[in-house]
Amino acid sequence: NAGVTQTPKFRILKIGQSMTLQCTQDMNHNYMYWYRQDPGMGLKLIYYSVGAGITDKGEVPNGYNVSRSTTEDFPLRLELAAPSQTSVYFCASSYSRSGANVLTFGAGSRLTVL
Amino acid sequence: QQQVKQSPQSLIVQKGGISIINCAYENTAFDYFPWYQQFPGKGPALLIAIRPDVSEKKEGRFTISFNKSAKQFSLHIMDSQPGDSATYFCAAIKGGDFGNEKLTFGTGTRLTIIP
């Protein structure tokens, strides 16, 4: 049981480049989330999805896009990378939407934009 | 606007001591308060959680104390061990129809347990 798998673990981008962070889960969870984690700032929600074909913006969506074509996959697209997008990105999933339901996180993807 | 304030930002505790991390919130509609533990190079994982209808919840060496009138809650780690060295995040969410997308995280506390 792999849980939530994120790739790549590390990536360095040049300003203006684009890339996709991959996230896949094998728990048949309907709900998936993308967070970014910056030092001293905690976790900020970028985008989330309540099921295949449905996505919505979180607290900090600017500069990012997502898609959810299958239950398992929830890729995060960075267009025109900027230094402000240097961060550690976490994908998470949950079985239900309930606030009491446990979030299962991936191991993270560290992105540096130079 | 930071709805959940967490302190301290970093904490060093001697092995066997008590580690205490504090969080304060402003929104009285919050009714579920989880704590997440994150080891270096890993994603956060749920450690323990509490609802405001109880003042304390204990799971092994980990205890959440909750003060509803002061709008504060804290994590206590008894007999702290080097394996407890991690970053700890408190969080809060409203009940009712709100989902995990409304989960508000604190800024995190990096805990280091020294021998």
Side-chain angles (χ1 to χ4, degrees):
Chain A
N1 191 348
V4 178
T5 302
Q6 292 183 234
T7 57
K9 293 188 183 302
F10 303 94
R11 182 73 185 268
I12 298 175
L13 279 182
K14 294 182 179 179
I15 295 172
Q17 286 185 321
S18 300
M19 75 160 297
T20 299
L21 299 177
Q22 301 292 343
C23 175
T24 187
Q25 51 91 9
D26 62 358
M27 298 172 286
N28 201 32
H29 285 175
N30 281 324
Y31 304 92
M32 297 188 73
Y33 310 83
W34 273 106
Y35 291 90
R36 60 176 288 171
Q37 182 180 25
D38 301 297
M41 298 295 290
L43 292 153
K44 301 292 185 183
L45 182 66
I46 304 171
Y47 270 95
Y48 67 99
S49 170
V50 300
I54 306 170
T55 62
D56 207 346
K57 296 178 180 179
E59 184 180 357
V60 290
N62 292 342
Y64 307 95
N65 278 300
V66 293
S67 60
R68 185 92 182 272
S69 58
T70 67
T71 299
E72 295 78 20
D73 300 306
F74 190 40
L76 178 71
R77 177 84 176 161
L78 282 73
E79 304 283 0
L80 299 175
S84 61
Q85 293 178 304
T86 293
S87 188
V88 181
Y89 293 84
F90 289 97
C91 180
S93 71
S94 64
Y95 176 73
S96 77
R97 193 182 177 196
S98 166
N101 189 255
V102 178
L103 283 169
T104 300
F105 284 86
S109 298
R110 182 177 293 275
L111 175 67
T112 302
V113 181
L114 301 175
Chain B
Q1 180 183 5
Q2 185 183 342
Q3 297 190 54
V4 179
K5 295 183 179 180
Q6 183 172 347
S7 62
Q9 187 171 0
S10 63
L11 180 63
I12 299 174
V13 175
Q14 207 154 19
K15 178 182 176 182
I18 302 174
S19 304
I20 301 174
I21 303 171
N22 300 299
C23 286
Y25 63 97
E26 301 168 356
N27 193 333
T28 55
F30 287 149
D31 74 345
Y32 180 68
F33 302 88
W35 284 88
Y36 279 79
Q37 179 188 52
Q38 182 183 25
F39 293 108
K42 303 293 185 183
L46 180 67
L47 178 65
I48 187 173
I50 196 169
R51 292 195 181 275
D53 53 347
V54 296
S55 60
E56 185 176 283
K57 183 174 182 180
K58 184 176 181 179
E59 290 185 3
R61 295 184 293 107
F62 299 88
T63 300
I64 300 178
S65 297
F66 190 86
N67 186 330
K68 189 174 182 178
S69 61
K71 293 186 286 185
Q72 296 175 346
F73 58 108
S74 59
L75 176 69
H76 296 237
I77 306 175
M78 312 300 288
D79 187 25
S80 299
Q81 299 297 313
D84 297 329
S85 296
T87 298
Y88 292 82
F89 293 95
C90 61
I93 191 169
K94 301 176 191 176
D97 295 329
F98 296 100
N100 280 315
E101 66 271 13
K102 299 295 186 183
L103 194 63
T104 300
F105 286 90
T107 52
T109 297
R110 178 173 291 184
L111 173 65
T112 304
I113 308 300
I114 56 175

